[in-house]
Structure formats: C-alpha cells, structure tokens
Amino acid sequence: MADNDELSSKGHLLALGRAGRAAAQGLAAAPTLGVEEEFLLLDPVSGQVVPAAPELLSRLDGASWAKGELMRFQVEAVTDICTSLGQLRAELATHRRAVAALAEPLGCLLVAAGTAPEGTSGLAHLTPSVRYLELARRSPSLLNGSGTCGCHVHVGVASRELGVQVLNRLRPWLPTLLALSSNSPLTGGGESGWASWRHRMQARWPTARPPPVCPSAAAYDAVVAGLIHRRAALDRPNVKFLARLSPRYPTVEVRVADVCLDLDDAVLLAGLVRALVTTAIQEADDGVPVRAVPAGRLQAAVLAAARHGLDGPGLDPWSGARAAQRGLLERLLSHVEDTLARSGDDQEVATLVGRLDQRGPGAVRQRAVRASGASGGELAAALAGETLAGCADPSGSSSRAPRVVRRPQRWESVWLPADVGFR
C-alpha cells in the first residue's frame, strides 16, 4: 500500500470513533476478558536472573492472583474477570505495582520482557513441582533456555463449539498480534537477531504453532488427544497452540504475544484480542465462511513477525505476498473497527495505537537502551522503569498486595474436568 494511500492507525480509528459512537447505544456488552502476565526478576547490578519467586510469593500470603512459573526467576500475575478495558488497566497496574514493591527488598527488579537480556542458567532454576520435573525428564533440551515470558489474553465465549469457530477465524491475525507485542530481542548479553526471541524459543516445542482449523469441538479435542497420545505434549495444558480453548475455563486463550513492556501496550493487546474474538463471534453467527489460510503459509507469517517485529517486512497470510507489518496492523484495525465502535473501546484503542506508532513495541525500546551502551544492570533498571510506567496508584497510597476477589460465577463452570490446570 502506497504511503499516500495509507491512513495512520490513529487517524483511522479516530474517524471510526466519530462515525460509530452513536451506533453503540443499546447494543450488547463486549465479552468478558482476563489477562495472565509473566515477569522476570532481575538483579539491579548485573541484570542476571534472580531465583527469588518462591520467597516473593510467600510474602503475598497465598494471594490467588500471583503464581509461580516454570523457573524460579519468574512470577505470573492473573487478573480477575474484567468487563472493560478500564477495569483491566487498573488490575494490571495494581499487580505490577504490588509485585515490584515486594521484589525490591529481595534485591531484584520486576521486568516485563519476553526473555532475560543477560540470559539464563538452563535448568538450575527450575521450579521443583511434580509437573515441571516430569517435563524436564521428558524434554531436558527443550527446557534449556526456557523461562520466557508471555501475555495470555482470555476472552469469554458461550460454548466450546463457538470457541472453535472463533479460533478458526483468529488464526490469520496471530502474526500481527505477535509483531505488535514483540518484546524479546536480547539474550545472553547481546542481540538475538529476532524481535521476539521468546517465540523462537517457544517454537522448539512441537505444539507451539497456530491452532488447526477444526469443524467442531469434538474434532479439536481429537487433535489435542492425538498430540498427547504421541507424546508431543505432556497433557492438555502443555499443548502450546498460539491460540486455544482454555483447558479449564470457558474462554478462548490467545497465547502468541510476548509480555508487553508497559501497561499501555498490554491494554492495547487485550483490547484488540477481545475485538477480534467479538468480530469472529459475529461472523460465526452470520454464517460468514472461514477464509482458507494454509498452515505452512500462516506459520511463515508468524516467523516473519517474530523475526522482524512491527517495523519490518511481513507475510500476508491470505495471499502469501510480502507485506509491511504496519500495513497488516492497519488491516487488522479495519477488520475490527465496527466492533470497537460498538463496545466503546475505539477512542482508547486509537490513543494506544498512536502511542505504539510513536514509540514502537518493546523490542524497539529494548534495543535502543542496549545501543546506548547500557550495562546489564542499567538495562534492567530501565526496563523495570518501563514495566511500572503508568502504574502509579491514583489514591497515592503506598504499594501493597491487592485484595483477593472471587471470580464471577460465569467463569467458574468448566468445560473439562476440574483437575486440568489453568495454564
């Protein structure tokens, strides 16, 4: 698309906001959503990983929103079920602020980066749970270099059958979601050559690929069962599709993204995922056929997004032609513009896309700090500052762990047996 024919992302959404605001009156509310964010704990002097998660979690006194992860230098924060982007923003900010405050007296910084810039130490920091130890026994080479951090967005859907139809329609947009969230260009103290090295590491797992097109929930379940039977995955939670039916909750879970460096990018990602799911639901209800995208071509588009990020070349998953990643983002925004107007999220998303246009995703900002000659500790401190950008407590009170809120009943019903973990 020629430059003079291309609307800026921000201008495009502002225009749809003016046109579509009135149409939003009286329409059904957007689906509920929730977000899981994974974080690193880094040393403020060396920038090396710090295996302090068990101690940090013990100081949270069993708060259900904070969890351990594969490695002891990782912490995961899980929002409650949210109905608006404003509520989601507040929860994400509260969690980031609370965990960062607890990390400080333990001698580490909370950092939202897809990979540890100074690298990791293999399996030395593995969390010794039964499940993780079994993964290490089965796949020690795959766990070496693990400990990457993603952002998983859950959007509520009415049934598993509908969830499969949503996944079929989400597949072509996964590369763009990865490009705009790319936030892991550094590893081992240097440049990886990838905007999302996290994706490159995750892609070693045999199931870390876009979900297959399935005609029904039964067909989807058969694919998952087959992967487990062939030992390509340990269990249902270990099936690492880039988007999937949640193994436990009635949601579509989009897992393709790196953890976002700052709060604005995390809210933008979640808002776009919800808009894509909502649009897919409408298409399914209207009987709009799924456009065919070959698995190999889609995988190539995902790899291009991981390699080059938002400012580089990409691959149009429908035609196979080369395309600018920014142009593909513009196409995504056009695809969901009516949905964003109906939900009232159009102005918020327009503002956030404008900021992304100006600053670039986390990968761009990480590289800029490294290029300035920053040491490992200085880089960690800069990224820790970005992680907390926009997270100030509006009440002005001191940081503390948020209260535990019981999840609304509509997400407590499960599609699968309750012993299946939420991963």
Side-chain angles (χ1 to χ4, degrees):
M1 193 183 303
D3 289 344
N4 58 353
D5 292 332
E6 190 173 73
L7 289 170
S8 75
S9 303
K10 181 178 180 181
H12 183 74
L13 280 173
L14 286 174
L16 75 88
R18 290 191 294 270
R21 180 72 62 181
Q25 302 299 320
L27 294 178
T32 55
L33 76 165
V35 169
E36 301 167 304
E37 290 192 295
E38 298 163 348
F39 301 103
L40 299 168
L41 300 174
L42 300 183
D43 185 276
V45 176
S46 68
Q48 297 288 334
V49 296
V50 180
E55 175 63 20
L56 188 153
L57 291 169
S58 72
R59 299 186 181 195
L60 280 168
D61 195 27
S64 62
W65 59 266
K67 302 177 183 298
E69 253 296 331
L70 179 66
M71 297 294 175
R72 288 179 288 124
F73 53 78
Q74 295 176 280
V75 176
E76 180 180 71
V78 182
T79 71
D80 198 39
I81 300 169
C82 298
T83 59
S84 70
L85 295 186
Q87 180 190 0
L88 180 73
R89 175 184 288 275
E91 291 217 16
L92 293 172
T94 300
H95 291 167
R96 287 186 177 214
R97 190 170 64 245
V99 179
L102 289 171
E104 184 178 0
L106 296 176
C108 49
L109 300 171
L110 183 75
V111 170
T115 53
E118 301 303 312
T120 65
S121 54
L123 297 177
H125 297 319
L126 182 72
T127 298
S129 73
V130 172
R131 188 165 177 275
Y132 291 152
L133 290 171
E134 176 61 15
L135 278 175
R137 186 188 70 80
R138 286 194 184 195
S139 307
S141 62
L142 294 181
L143 262 66
N144 259 322
S146 291
T148 62
C149 296
C151 178
H152 303 165
V153 182
H154 289 255
V155 181
V157 290
S159 70
R160 299 184 74 253
E161 292 295 339
L162 180 58
V164 168
Q165 294 304 312
V166 168
L167 289 177
N168 292 342
R169 291 166 169 81
L170 276 181
R171 296 170 70 251
W173 304 109
L174 295 174
T176 304
L177 295 174
L178 176 58
L180 70 87
S181 69
S182 57
N183 184 33
S184 51
L186 307 175
T187 185
E191 170 65 50
S192 72
W194 293 71
S196 176
W197 183 244
R198 167 190 165 270
H199 176 78
R200 185 61 173 164
M201 298 299 291
Q202 288 285 101
R204 298 176 303 160
W205 293 88
T207 61
R209 61 177 189 261
V213 174
C214 294
S216 66
Y220 177 91
D221 290 342
V223 170
V224 170
L227 291 167
I228 297 169
H229 179 73
R230 296 194 301 272
R231 298 177 68 86
L234 176 65
D235 50 22
R236 288 179 183 271
N238 189 232
V239 174
K240 296 176 176 290
F241 290 156
L242 304 185
R244 67 183 186 180
L245 298 183
S246 169
R248 185 173 182 182
Y249 293 96
T251 65
V252 166
E253 179 187 3
V254 176
R255 303 165 50 86
V256 69
D258 286 359
V259 65
C260 294
L261 182 55
D262 67 19
L263 191 61
D264 281 349
D265 289 353
V267 174
L268 173 61
L269 173 70
L272 291 179
V273 169
R274 180 165 72 166
L276 285 168
V277 171
T278 307
T279 302
I281 291 171
Q282 187 63 58
E283 288 182 344
D285 287 346
D286 293 343
V288 177
V290 177
R291 293 184 61 187
V293 176
R297 184 184 297 164
L298 181 55
Q299 183 62 18
V302 171
L303 287 174
R307 183 64 181 266
H308 303 293
L310 189 59
D311 293 319
L315 187 73
D316 184 318
W318 292 276
S319 69
R322 288 172 61 88
Q325 293 285 7
R326 292 271 180 178
L328 295 171
L329 174 58
E330 181 66 25
R331 187 171 181 176
L332 186 158
L333 295 171
S334 296
H335 179 67
V336 300
E337 62 182 8
D338 291 341
T339 296
L340 289 169
R342 286 194 295 268
S343 68
D345 290 338
D346 48 346
Q347 293 294 327
E348 171 81 352
V349 169
T351 299
L352 297 176
V353 170
R355 291 176 186 170
L356 184 69
D357 284 343
Q358 293 170 0
R359 302 174 306 165
V364 171
R365 285 176 274 163
Q366 284 201 47
R367 283 171 164 154
V369 177
R370 178 64 86 190
S372 72
S375 66
E378 290 167 339
L379 174 63
L383 298 183
E386 291 266 17
T387 299
L388 293 179
C391 293
D393 186 347
S395 71
S397 62
S398 59
S399 297
R400 57 184 175 85
R403 65 188 179 92
V404 178
V405 180
R406 180 173 171 81
R407 295 188 182 279
Q409 182 66 32
R410 62 184 176 277
W411 270 28
E412 290 185 357
S413 61
V414 297
W415 287 333
L416 295 173
D419 61 348
V420 179
F422 186 23
R423 284 286 306 124

